[in-house]
Amino acid sequence: MTKMKTSGFKCLYGNQTKGERERDREERPCVNYKCGLLNTIQDVLRQRPGWTEVKEEGEWDLNWCDVAWLRENFDNTYMEEHVRICHFRNHYELTRKNFMVKNLKRYRKHLEREAGRSEAARCDFFPQTFELPGEYHLFVEEFKRSAGSTWIMKPVARSQGKGIFLFRKLKDITDWKKDGTRSEEQKSDVHVESYVAQRYIENPYLISGRKFDLRVYVMVTSYIPLKAWLYRDGFARFSNTRFSLSSIDDQYVHLTNVAVQKTAPDYDPEKGCKWQIQQLRRYLTAKHSRETVETLFREIDNIFIRSLLSVQKVIINDKHCFELYGYDILLDDRLKPWLIEVNASPSLTASSQEDYEMKCRVLEDTLHVVDMEARLTGREKRVGGYDLMWSDGPVYREDAGPETLGGSCFTANTHLGCVNDRKRQLRQMFKPLPGHKRM
């Protein structure tokens, strides 16, 4: 991998004079943090003025942990009022593939009962999905009704493209039948691993003949009430090989995960396989129209809001918790967005210098929103590159009134793929008032 230049990232405080930085350290409260990851987040935490890393059993104010640590320690950890941790206790209700679909299906049925079919149709943004082995017989019925279709199998709790394959014949998945036999590899397992069988999107939107998906960052600071932020930056991940349905066994054609693509023989680590989302939005606007692309991005906003609402009542809300989600969205050739999955631990390892700088911006602004230094008022609609899109109800833009979005009257305060002038906004927001001390 290309070595990242840590000094290439200048945070908000990078433009201060030496005297201003020293005064900042004196006036800021000391924040002790613990970090279980060795990637970009470590760089961002270490550059934050007044923050100190603690090791092992040291007392911490913020813990950027992995989900394994959370699972083993959360229930046995006492946290004071001000302490924050980067996952909700049962984050998996949205981030495990089978639970995500289960909650979305339940939410869609609820909407149909309470608001009618047209409102429920606003949740038709995820492919038809069955959990195996439990729903194998239901899946077989649907499989036979749609002969010739392509399906994709995914393990429910793995990431980075591991264990995923496409198929068109039932014999290819006999290992996951409810009463089927196991493969040699599985015979040593205690139980058969759960998978989801999902109808494959056979008509993806292509650029230069290649498939891609979007990685978008959504941050939730509370589920009761729901408070969610959308980051302006993100990226499109491209496959390294031109798309074709004639080669369903070629992972370089069908899987856009960087962990998969970087193993391709002709992968260029300098060039990579990513576009910044601003570049993608400009491309789509030039090829189609501004109105068409604005409609597309409103539909993507709809995916974020509906998916979060689908788990609002099942996520264990805790004032100490926040979550940075990585949403994976696929576009089809009609510019319809599809939700592929939601990640509780989106990759923070950079694949290029540009990718490193973008992830540093996301993480720096995530810490601004968490606000360990208590500088925010709680009424902000924007913090750096984050825009508040939901706060116990829709958040409207400052410069626009309500518009109709698929039957729901709301204009999201979102600017995904738009200019991210975060430095200017942060300077303005954190500028001390006349006669007041800098906090």
Side-chain angles (χ1 to χ4, degrees), residues 327-344:
Y327 272 75
D328 292 344
I329 307 289
L330 178 73
L331 309 183
D332 69 18
D333 58 11
R334 296 169 296 170
L335 285 181
K336 173 181 171 62
W338 295 89
L339 174 60
I340 303 303
E341 65 178 307
V342 184
N343 298 274

Side-chain angles (χ1 to χ4, degrees), residues 212-225:
F212 66 93
D213 69 358
L214 308 181
R215 166 56 60 84
V216 184
Y217 298 100
V218 173
M219 181 182 181
V220 174
T221 52
S222 168
Y223 270 98
I224 301 175

Side-chain angles (χ1 to χ4, degrees), residues 354-394:
E354 183 182 44
D355 192 45
Y356 175 79
E357 292 169 358
M358 187 274 292
K359 287 176 177 174
C360 283
R361 293 193 296 269
V362 173
L363 293 168
E364 179 72 21
D365 290 342
T366 298
L367 297 178
H368 286 320
V369 172
V370 173
D371 193 29
M372 297 300 295
E373 301 93 340
R375 293 178 294 172
L376 303 181
T377 66
R379 299 186 298 272
E380 290 82 4
K381 286 188 176 181
R382 181 183 178 190
V383 177
Y386 277 110
D387 296 291
L388 182 63
M389 64 175 171
W390 194 271
S391 183
D392 201 20

Side-chain angles (χ1 to χ4, degrees), residues 35-151:
C35 183
L37 304 177
L38 299 175
N39 50 38
T40 311
I41 183 59
Q42 273 281 14
D43 292 343
V44 173
L45 288 167
R46 286 170 179 166
Q47 291 186 53
R48 200 153 181 94
W51 288 45
T52 304
E53 184 174 10
V54 297
K55 300 291 186 180
E56 302 303 327
E57 301 303 318
E59 291 188 6
W60 44 267
D61 304 304
L62 179 138
N63 190 344
W64 198 288
C65 63
D66 57 27
V67 294
W69 186 96
L70 184 88
R71 185 168 54 247
E72 295 171 9
N73 298 281
F74 187 89
D75 291 336
N76 303 314
T77 302
Y78 169 76
M79 289 182 278
E80 295 184 8
E81 181 78 18
H82 71 284
V83 169
R84 296 292 181 268
I85 191 166
C86 68
H87 296 292
F88 285 91
R89 176 65 182 84
N90 59 335
H91 59 86
Y92 47 79
E93 291 288 350
L94 182 61
T95 58
R96 273 181 61 127
K97 301 174 185 70
N98 53 337
F99 290 169
M100 180 191 79
V101 171
K102 176 195 70 175
N103 287 311
L104 282 169
K105 287 179 178 179
R106 183 177 60 223
Y107 180 66
R108 184 168 58 186
K109 288 180 180 179
H110 167 76
L111 285 178
E112 187 169 354
R113 286 195 308 268
E114 300 297 322
R117 289 185 178 179
S118 61
E119 188 69 12
R122 300 295 300 151
C123 290
D124 291 339
F125 50 70
F126 57 99
Q128 191 173 23
T129 306
F130 299 88
E131 183 178 359
L132 305 186
E135 296 180 328
Y136 179 77
H137 296 296
L138 291 174
F139 164 70
V140 169
E141 291 178 12
E142 182 59 35
F143 182 90
K144 291 178 178 178
R145 280 196 293 267
S146 53
S149 295
T150 306
W151 294 77

Side-chain angles (χ1 to χ4, degrees), residues 21 68 110 124 179 210 226 252 258 271 300 353 364 385:
R21 288 196 297 271
H110 167 76
D124 291 339
D179 57 349
R210 289 168 172 80
L226 179 61
Y252 301 127
V258 175
K271 183 180 177 183
I300 294 175
Q353 183 62 30
E364 179 72 21

Side-chain angles (χ1 to χ4, degrees), residues 199-216:
R199 190 181 291 275
Y200 187 63
I201 306 298
E202 295 179 323
N203 60 326
Y205 191 99
L206 304 178
I207 295 180
S208 298
R210 289 168 172 80
K211 177 184 173 180
F212 66 93
D213 69 358
L214 308 181
R215 166 56 60 84
V216 184

